[in-house]
Amino acid sequence: MSTHLNFAGVFPYLASPIKQNEEVDTDVLHRLCVDLIGHGVHGLTPLGSTGEFAYLSPDQKRAIVETTVAASAGRVPVVAGVAATTTADAVRQAKEYERMGCDGILAMLEAYFPIDQEGVFDYFRQIANAVDLPIVIYTNPNFQRSDLTAGVIERLSHIPNILYLKDASTNTGRLLTIMNLVEDRMRIFAASSHVTTAVMLLGGAGWMAGPACIVPRQSVQLYELCRDERWQDAMVLQRELWRVNQVFADYRLAACIKGALKMQGYDMGVPLHPQAPLSDEGARAVREALVSVGAL
């Protein structure tokens, strides 16, 4: 089992820098990881939604995980995203990333045809049984064709190494229902940075989110305010950071993150086709948002 067991705090979803020849720009990714750690983030999450996991080849994924593990050098946990349409492929990825030195697995379910709840449960159960690592299960009712119900999450919470849930529903009532069902067997991470203070107030462990890549210092500050129960100060900062999240809601996520990181000196390339790059209008909005929160 990983030495990093108590996941808590800010885990940026890493963008994936891809060169024009389709190779991973490992130098840029390594520098980004080192700088994020220097800003105080508590973990790194490669191959999340911001990392464009659905568009990457197996070789690209391996290069990204290998680079992230090397850059972390054990200083913070690396929780790699595993997503597949078949259980066998997801299990293969999880085992491979464990061998590569990851500290945890963020388990996501991709689906073309709808999957019944028993199939959803079995998918995550088999991933957890395949590795000796803490598992974060990911639920996003807005994008997943076959989501996890509260009942399935409660069943999964009894599997010893399924210790965390990353919930992207932004539905605090749903979160409270889940928290009551799983009790102390599972800790909850928020997904998007715009609801983090609310989730922390409910008892959340932190958040895993793409915007933390571009506002890491502010994200860590917000987490520390919440951890110290300085809720009024936390809400002041949360409102300031809202502009960044508003831009992300108006434009495409990967395009915004890569565009913002380029403005900050990290050439991440453009979103993988057929995704479109950030428009000129979007770039202006991103730049204004970064300036407004002191990130540029």
Side-chain angles (χ1 to χ4, degrees), residues 91-127:
V91 166
R92 178 197 60 77
Q93 292 177 45
K95 288 181 175 180
E96 182 172 33
Y97 300 157
E98 181 179 38
R99 289 193 299 268
M100 294 174 71
C102 288
D103 302 286
I105 297 296
L106 173 72
M108 302 169 278
L109 173 62
E110 293 188 280
Y112 181 78
F113 295 112
I115 310 297
D116 64 28
Q117 289 301 300
E118 197 59 36
V120 172
F121 171 81
D122 188 64
Y123 174 87
F124 290 99
R125 178 187 65 82
Q126 290 204 42
I127 293 173

Side-chain angles (χ1 to χ4, degrees), residues 69-231:
V69 170
S72 172
R75 291 176 290 173
V76 298
V78 174
V79 181
V82 164
T85 53
T86 68
T87 304
D89 187 21
V91 166
R92 178 197 60 77
Q93 292 177 45
K95 288 181 175 180
E96 182 172 33
Y97 300 157
E98 181 179 38
R99 289 193 299 268
M100 294 174 71
C102 288
D103 302 286
I105 297 296
L106 173 72
M108 302 169 278
L109 173 62
E110 293 188 280
Y112 181 78
F113 295 112
I115 310 297
D116 64 28
Q117 289 301 300
E118 197 59 36
V120 172
F121 171 81
D122 188 64
Y123 174 87
F124 290 99
R125 178 187 65 82
Q126 290 204 42
I127 293 173
N129 289 344
V131 296
D132 188 29
L133 292 176
I135 305 294
V136 184
I137 58 175
Y138 173 74
T139 173
N140 189 336
N142 297 317
F143 293 104
Q144 289 176 316
R145 190 169 179 83
S146 297
D147 193 38
L148 290 88
T149 64
V152 167
I153 293 170
E154 191 276 333
R155 289 175 63 195
L156 289 169
S157 73
H158 293 279
I159 296 174
N161 61 328
I162 296 184
L163 301 174
Y164 305 93
L165 167 72
K166 180 200 157 183
D167 181 89
S169 69
T170 72
N171 183 335
T172 52
R174 169 184 161 97
L175 271 181
L176 279 173
T177 297
I178 292 169
M179 287 177 173
N180 287 338
L181 286 172
V182 303
E183 298 177 331
D184 61 353
R185 296 185 300 277
M186 184 182 289
R187 300 193 69 194
I188 310 300
F189 279 86
S192 180
S193 297
H194 71 285
V195 295
T196 49
T197 301
V199 173
M200 290 292 291
L201 180 59
L202 295 176
W207 55 94
M208 297 180 173
C213 272
I214 61 174
V215 285
R217 176 177 55 80
Q218 296 88 339
S219 297
V220 170
Q221 182 184 1
L222 180 59
Y223 170 76
E224 291 174 346
L225 289 172
C226 293
R227 182 197 60 195
D228 296 339
E229 299 184 356
R230 296 171 57 188
W231 302 115

Side-chain angles (χ1 to χ4, degrees), residues 26-36 67 71 264-267:
T26 56
D27 291 338
V28 170
L29 180 58
H30 190 281
R31 181 163 61 90
L32 175 63
C33 292
V34 169
D35 290 348
L36 288 171
T67 302
Q264 294 175 331
Y266 307 93
D267 189 356

Side-chain angles (χ1 to χ4, degrees), residues 228-291:
D228 296 339
E229 299 184 356
R230 296 171 57 188
W231 302 115
Q232 185 171 352
D233 292 335
M235 281 308 305
V236 170
L237 180 55
Q238 181 80 86
R239 286 193 291 268
E240 291 176 3
L241 292 175
W242 171 248
R243 185 169 184 180
V244 174
N245 290 280
Q246 189 66 57
V247 170
F248 279 51
D250 293 339
Y251 301 94
R252 289 170 292 274
L253 179 62
C256 282
I257 288 286
K258 286 190 166 181
L261 284 171
K262 185 173 183 178
M263 295 174 194
Q264 294 175 331
Y266 307 93
D267 189 356
M268 309 299 289
V270 296
L272 295 166
H273 296 301
Q275 300 175 102
L278 192 62
S279 66
D280 291 342
E281 177 186 5
R284 286 193 293 272
V286 168
R287 181 176 293 277
E288 290 173 0
L290 291 178
V291 169

